[in-house]
Amino acid sequence: VDNEYFLTLQPTDNVVSTSTITVRVSDESMTTSSTFTVETKSGIPTIIKAPMDIVETEGNLVALFVEANGRPELNYQWFLNDTAIPNANNSNYVLAEASSSDSGRYSVIISNNDGRIQSSESLLTINKLIPIEQTTVVQEVGSNGEVILSLSETSENLIYQWYFGETGDTSNPIESATSSSYTPEPGNSDTSYWVKVSIEGGSTQNVEIVNSNTISIEGIPSDRYYFGEFDSDRGSFGILVRADNTAVFLAEITSPKTIIATVDMEIGSDGDFHYKSSELGWIDGQITGDSVSGKVSKRNISFAGTLSVSDGSTNSLAGFYDAPIANTSDGQIYLLAGPNETSYIISGSGDTFSGMEATLSEDGILSSISSEDTQLSISLNNTKGTLSGTTSIDGTEFNVLGLHEEALPENHLVNTSVRAQVKDGAGVMIAGFVIQGEGEKEVLIRGVGPSLTKLNVNNPIEDTTITLYKMGETAPIAENDDWGDSDNSIQISNSSELVGAFPLESSSKDSALLLSLSEGVYTAIVTNNASSEGTALVEVYDVDEANDINNGMELVNISLRGEVGSGEKVIIGGFVVQGDSPKRLLIRAMGSELSNLDVPKTLNNPELSIYRTTDTGTELINSNDSWDSSDPELLREAATITGAFPFEEGSGSAAKVIWLEPGVYTAMASSADSQSGIALIEVYQLP
């Protein structure tokens, strides 16, 4: 019987070969066989391994290669940036000494009689060699006196690491010092530095590394503290020399007693300094290494001191602190806190100032700070950079709150209010305020009358209207009668709660405005819509401040005008000082000078009283009847600085320049002679 049989062969993918096949057939009587060859071809070339991206340094050997299968024999052509490379016809392409011009996109076309295929592109990056100048470290002094180390030439694709010690010693890397320049931390010890430079992205087998020379810095500029004495037991002193060669010089010289307190004395490049005092004449000194010495010309005395150890137990607290004495006009404390416990302090007010050495503990407590004129209890906080405590002046204790000179003070006026009688004509209530800065500040202004009954205020007016004007514009910019009818009454209610104002019933006859105001001078006028006179309250709140929005704009310089009568008929102006340090203010109660502004029926003899609200109640902290009865020159200077209307010599108006620490305050204008009339309370910020 004839039968047909079939043999199927399946070649392995991507394998090119020739095979010999033998087929044998047998039955019971005989066997036969047949042998033949089979050749497999790939046809169109296939790529087994494409060229890879390479990063190398110029001058080194670079080899690009491709692995492919195909039969008949394969042909190769390499391309750079889509342009054929002459004579590049092998499965690999070799650059014996690569240069930056060889960088680019490489690919290869593989072909035979059955077809062709192009590889994916590989990116070749050839980095330039490190310039030989990179091995040279140069030293210069910056504008603030700091030492700057840098390499004389820089280049792209380089990695830098600075080290302490000698060249090649990698045991002391400097954290974050990974650029071509480095500014060492200030210190007094001599230190050596070097820098290692390497190619970014170089192959692990061939990364060029260059070690710089070693450079030694002698006496890196830093803050230096000197403490010493005048000869013949004539006093003591402290000097802080900053890194920029400016200095703080604090001293007390006895017989007769003279205080030196300068915070910006210049120190020459040779260590010389000269300070002129009207009482002492020229003070000439010289700082040489670890010592300071000099002479005081008018007193014919010398002084000498030594350098304090820079890394002592109080180094973290060291620095110059400036602290005003709260509730005084010019009370001040200056402190040089040394790095090794020894410190120097000047404290006082008016004509009574004292200077003395003090001992600073590791936890920031100053001791040994008492004299015939001064008793102090002071502590420092290095985390916040603050000085706080108390001092006694003529038996009265005052609070002290100040900052390290590098700490930025935050103090400003927020939220003001005035309570007074409201009548017709000139008897309206007027609140003025100034907004300073660029942009806009959200402000809540309220004219409260009927709701004062909740605060047990006698005879409140029944219906208020508040009108807001901006200086330079004749028409009002906003007005409100009944706040509950305003389109933004919900926002007014929410803002009142946010700033801590007592709530107003939506149906009340009180008035309120919530506005975003630009820089300028504003006047809010509260009038009485009812026929009878009564008491009203106008309030101005900084809503941005309550929302912790710090846009650089401030509410400054407030004024509050109303009618003062006898007894309880006074003007009460409330304001808040907020921040981390005291604010110096000029507070005035103006009377007769208002007639120059065409205000009728002025109060000729107002008395100014300043109160602070505490947890235990309200306390009187200062007062004045006649402005020129004490320190009129200080008040004139303050008025000039703030641009306030000058007071007339001999007038009955009252004023105080005063440092007020953060808190809630009330300035009250009353009648000193039981007369009635219009008065104005003013609160100005002083620099």
Side-chain angles (χ1 to χ4, degrees):
V1 178
D2 293 332
N3 293 316
E4 291 185 356
Y5 296 91
F6 297 93
L7 174 65
T8 301
L9 301 176
Q10 178 65 46
T12 303
D13 289 343
N14 299 320
V15 174
V16 178
S17 66
T18 300
S19 301
T20 300
I21 308 296
T22 300
V23 179
R24 289 185 178 89
V25 180
S26 63
D27 58 14
E28 295 179 356
S29 60
M30 62 178 298
T31 297
T32 186
S33 65
S34 176
T35 299
F36 57 92
T37 60
V38 177
E39 181 181 4
T40 59
K41 297 182 179 181
S42 64
I44 296 174
T46 59
I47 294 176
I48 305 302
K49 189 172 184 179
M52 299 178 63
D53 292 344
I54 297 176
V55 177
E56 194 51 87
T57 305
E58 64 180 353
N60 290 340
L61 182 145
V62 174
L64 296 163
F65 68 93
V66 64
E67 183 179 346
N69 277 337
R71 188 178 284 273
E73 183 178 353
L74 300 177
N75 301 311
Y76 300 87
Q77 176 60 60
W78 287 87
F79 291 80
L80 170 58
N81 298 328
D82 301 324
T83 300
I85 303 172
N87 302 317
N89 306 120
N90 297 312
S91 60
N92 57 59
Y93 177 62
V94 178
L95 297 167
E97 293 184 1
S99 66
S100 58
S101 62
D102 293 319
S103 296
R105 298 175 288 105
Y106 284 81
S107 63
V108 58
I109 292 179
I110 307 165
S111 62
N112 61 11
N113 292 334
D114 290 335
R116 55 185 284 167
I117 188 171
Q118 184 168 5
S119 72
S120 59
E121 290 184 337
S122 67
L123 181 63
L124 174 62
T125 303
I126 303 299
N127 290 327
K128 291 184 178 180
L129 290 170
I130 300 174
I132 190 65
E133 291 85 354
Q134 290 283 3
T135 62
T136 303
V137 176
V138 295
Q139 173 185 341
E140 62 178 321
V141 178
S143 59
N144 295 323
E146 74 274 20
V147 169
I148 301 173
L149 305 178
S150 61
L151 293 166
S152 58
E153 183 177 326
T154 60
S155 180
E156 296 180 357
N157 305 313
L158 297 181
I159 298 174
Y160 305 89
Q161 177 60 60
W162 290 82
Y163 295 87
F164 293 113
E166 301 296 321
T167 296
D169 178 7
T170 59
S171 61
N172 293 300
I174 303 173
E175 186 178 357
S176 300
T178 54
S179 66
S180 59
S181 64
Y182 171 62
T183 302
E185 293 292 330
N188 294 317
S189 60
D190 296 343
T191 308
S192 296
Y193 301 88
W194 69 281
V195 60
K196 180 174 72 174
V197 188
S198 57
I199 293 287
E200 180 181 10
S203 67
T204 56
Q205 293 80 17
N206 187 18
V207 178
E208 182 177 355
I209 296 176
V210 170
N211 292 344
S212 77
N213 58 303
T214 300
I215 188 165
S216 296
I217 306 300
E218 297 181 1
I220 300 173
S222 64
D223 289 348
R224 292 165 285 161
Y225 298 80
Y226 298 83
F227 299 96
E229 297 179 346
F230 296 88
D231 61 9
S232 304
D233 295 326
R234 299 283 294 277
S236 57
F237 69 89
I239 296 177
L240 160 61
V241 181
R242 304 183 184 94
D244 63 357
N245 273 353
T246 62
V248 178
F249 187 9
L250 306 181
E252 179 185 304
I253 302 177
T254 59
S255 303
K257 181 177 179 179
T258 305
I259 297 296
I260 300 172
T262 178
V263 300
D264 55 1
M265 185 173 69
E266 294 287 339
I267 306 294
S269 58
D270 56 359
D272 287 348
F273 62 87
H274 310 280
Y275 174 71
K276 189 174 185 180
S277 164
S278 58
E279 297 180 67
L280 301 171
W282 281 103
I283 301 174
D284 300 306
Q286 170 76 40
I287 294 175
T288 306
D290 295 342
S291 64
V292 59
S293 60
K295 292 184 177 181
V296 182
S297 61
K298 279 191 177 182
R299 298 287 174 86
N300 194 28
I301 58 175
S302 301
F303 60 91
T306 57
L307 178 68
S308 181
V309 175
S310 63
D311 56 353
S313 61
T314 56
N315 185 46
S316 63
L317 297 162
F320 172 57
Y321 295 77
D322 179 1
I325 299 175
N327 304 339
T328 68
S329 298
D330 57 0
Q332 203 78 26
I333 286 179
Y334 298 115
L335 171 67
L336 284 184
N340 196 33
E341 298 185 1
T342 302
S343 301
Y344 198 88
I345 192 167
I346 285 179
S347 174
S349 178
D351 297 327
T352 307
F353 276 83
S354 297
M356 70 207 80
E357 282 194 353
T359 301
L360 179 64
S361 67
E362 292 184 43
D363 55 359
I365 305 299
L366 280 163
S367 58
S368 302
I369 48 175
S370 62
S371 68
E372 181 181 345
D373 303 317
T374 305
Q375 291 80 42
L376 294 163
S377 176
I378 300 295
S379 64
L380 306 181
N381 184 316
N382 68 321
T383 303
K384 298 180 180 179
T386 59
L387 178 155
S388 60
T390 60
T391 183
S392 295
I393 302 176
D394 296 330
T396 302
E397 187 175 275
F398 296 89
N399 290 334
V400 176
L401 184 62
L403 299 172
H404 188 285
E405 68 172 333
E406 294 183 358
L408 296 176
E410 292 185 6
N411 51 47
H412 40 267
L413 286 174
V414 298
N415 306 354
T416 178
S417 63
V418 58
R419 195 185 96 186
Q421 297 293 301
V422 178
K423 297 182 178 180
D424 294 332
V428 298
M429 181 184 295
I430 300 176
F433 58 93
V434 178
I435 292 178
Q436 201 170 71
E438 297 182 0
E440 291 191 336
K441 174 172 285 296
E442 190 170 31
V443 176
L444 172 66
I445 308 168
R446 307 200 311 177
V448 184
S451 295
L452 290 178
T453 55
K454 298 179 181 179
L455 304 179
N456 298 319
V457 174
N458 294 326
N459 193 32
I461 62 175
E462 298 176 359
D463 190 358
T464 65
T465 293
I466 189 166
T467 307
L468 185 66
Y469 294 84
K470 184 176 183 180
M471 181 176 287
E473 300 182 16
T474 56
I477 62 172
E479 187 175 41
N480 177 256
D481 183 2
D482 298 330
W483 80 274
D485 295 336
S486 303
D487 293 338
N488 61 343
S489 59
I490 295 177
Q491 290 82 359
I492 290 174
S493 178
N494 293 338
S495 296
S496 297
E497 181 179 358
L498 178 67
V499 300
F502 63 88
L504 304 175
E505 294 183 1
S506 60
S507 59
S508 75
K509 292 293 184 177
D510 304 296
S511 52
L513 295 167
L514 179 63
L515 303 167
S516 292
L517 301 178
S518 58
E519 184 177 50
V521 180
Y522 295 87
T523 301
I525 299 178
V526 175
T527 54
N528 185 2
N529 295 330
S531 57
S532 59
E533 66 178 68
T535 301
L537 177 72
V538 60
E539 302 168 303
V540 180
Y541 292 97
D542 187 337
V543 179
D544 281 348
E545 182 65 32
N547 272 313
D548 290 328
I549 297 175
N550 184 10
N551 55 8
M553 302 193 70
E554 285 191 280
L555 181 64
V556 300
N557 304 1
I558 60 176
S559 61
L560 318 161
R561 185 186 122 184
E563 180 161 342
V564 176
S566 59
E568 296 182 354
K569 295 182 178 180
V570 298
I571 301 176
I572 300 175
F575 57 94
V576 177
V577 175
Q578 195 171 78
D580 57 9
S581 58
K583 176 166 283 294
R584 197 173 187 224
L585 302 173
L586 168 63
I587 304 176
R588 310 198 307 178
M590 182 188 294
S592 59
E593 285 85 0
L594 288 173
S595 61
N596 298 327
L597 303 176
D598 298 326
V599 176
K601 300 179 182 179
T602 59
L603 182 67
N604 291 325
N605 191 10
E607 181 175 359
L608 174 66
S609 301
I610 303 171
Y611 296 86
R612 183 180 183 187
T613 301
T614 67
D615 293 339
T616 58
T618 302
E619 61 176 347
L620 176 67
I621 59 173
N622 222 309
S623 64
N624 178 258
D625 185 2
S626 298
W627 74 275
D628 54 2
S629 60
S630 64
D631 215 341
E633 289 304 317
L634 177 65
L635 291 165
R636 288 193 185 98
E637 180 184 2
T640 300
I641 291 172
T642 59
F645 190 90
F647 280 175
E648 299 170 353
E649 187 172 347
S651 78
S653 295
K656 289 294 293 186
V657 170
I658 190 168
W659 283 101
L660 294 180
E661 59 189 313
V664 180
Y665 294 90
T666 299
M668 184 174 73
S670 59
S671 176
D673 55 10
S674 300
Q675 300 298 309
S676 62
I678 304 296
L680 178 71
I681 291 178
E682 301 171 299
V683 181
Y684 294 93
Q685 296 190 74
L686 285 169

